Amino acid sequence: MTENGTVPDVLLLTEAWSNHDAPSLFRPIENEHALAEIVFPFRHLLRDALSFAVNARQHGGATSYYSLARQSVDQMMKDRGYYFIAEQSHYPQDRLPDNFSLPTDNPRHVAARAADPEAPEGQELRQLVARYRMNCLYAPTYARSGAVAAAPRENAAFRKAAETVGCRAVGPDYFSYPNSLFSDEIHLNRAGALNRAGARVFTADLFQTIREALSNHDAVQ
């Protein structure tokens, strides 16, 4: 965004920056998946084409399937950026059952954010925030209450790390929501699908947190 000349007044982030060193000639990319993306950027083309053909057939052909995709994009614009991933929603009313769980769920684990302010990505963020004078906030994300434990009100270690790179951590690391607000194991259900849809609940909680942090800032509008 900054390279294109679009500099935001307020920068909202959720995921902590990486602690890995930037790759170089003497320090190659350690992540095999990231390396494969660079060397073989079109390796999923055949799989994606076959997936499109199968899904199109199930939805009345390519033209009809494209029309459905166009409607999803139009709805996303109406919802001001919220995109509902319908392909992963397999339960009635786009609502996970109350007894839904995964083998990887650990309701006693606190998924706290952690980051090294001296890591290359942290330093890059600090330089961007300082250069463009952005108001940088680390805002809460969300999680299923059965997947992880509730986040504490404050993560002091990450708050200090964020302040080192010129950002403020506001609110908890994440809000915890019941299965009823999810359409699949990680995505909130669509606005309007239920009287208390996950997307609306999270938006309201996020706005309240940001409004308190920017109470004297024009961006509240």
Side-chain angles (χ1 to χ4, degrees):
M1 290 176 66
T2 56
E3 289 176 355
N4 292 330
T6 306
V7 181
D9 294 325
V10 179
L11 178 64
L12 295 183
L13 303 173
T14 55
E15 298 296 329
W17 60 89
S18 168
N19 291 333
H20 296 296
D21 291 333
S24 66
L25 178 63
F26 303 102
R27 186 185 296 275
I29 297 176
E30 299 177 358
N31 188 309
E32 294 181 355
H33 295 288
L35 181 61
E37 287 289 344
I38 295 174
V39 179
F40 306 107
F42 303 108
R43 73 186 195 280
H44 297 309
L45 182 61
L46 178 59
R47 182 201 65 183
D48 293 342
L50 291 174
S51 176
F52 174 82
V54 172
N55 289 329
R57 184 176 181 181
Q58 296 175 349
H59 291 86
T63 301
S64 177
Y65 193 42
Y66 176 83
S67 178
L68 288 175
R70 181 71 262 174
Q71 292 174 21
S72 295
V73 172
D74 292 341
Q75 186 62 47
M76 179 186 67
M77 298 299 292
K78 293 179 181 178
D79 292 337
R80 304 181 68 179
Y82 168 71
Y83 178 68
F84 178 67
I85 305 178
E87 293 80 4
Q88 296 186 26
S89 178
H90 305 296
Y91 294 94
Q93 294 184 308
D94 302 316
R95 179 183 184 274
L96 279 185
D98 292 338
N99 61 353
F100 176 89
S101 64
L102 293 173
T104 54
D105 288 353
N106 185 356
R108 292 181 294 181
H109 170 67
V110 177
R113 288 185 290 214
D116 178 5
E118 300 301 323
E121 287 189 0
Q123 291 301 307
E124 181 181 3
L125 175 60
R126 182 184 62 80
Q127 293 171 9
L128 287 172
V129 170
R131 178 180 179 183
Y132 296 103
R133 299 181 180 180
M134 292 181 287
N135 192 343
C136 175
L137 301 177
Y138 263 92
T141 181
Y142 62 85
R144 284 191 300 112
S145 56
V148 293
R153 297 185 62 179
E154 182 181 1
N155 180 344
F158 182 73
R159 175 177 54 80
K160 293 180 180 179
E163 291 174 351
T164 302
V165 300
C167 301
R168 285 186 296 159
V170 296
D173 283 346
Y174 53 89
F175 300 118
S176 293
Y177 297 133
N179 284 347
S180 60
L181 298 187
F182 287 79
S183 58
D184 58 54
E185 61 268 24
I186 58 175
H187 297 112
L188 298 171
N189 44 32
R190 73 175 82 209
L194 300 169
N195 292 331
R196 191 169 179 264
R200 292 191 181 277
V201 172
F202 175 59
T203 299
D205 288 342
L206 182 62
F207 176 75
Q208 182 64 28
T209 302
I210 300 306
R211 182 172 63 178
E212 293 173 357
L214 300 176
S215 58
N216 297 318
H217 197 285
D218 292 339
V220 174
Q221 301 301 323

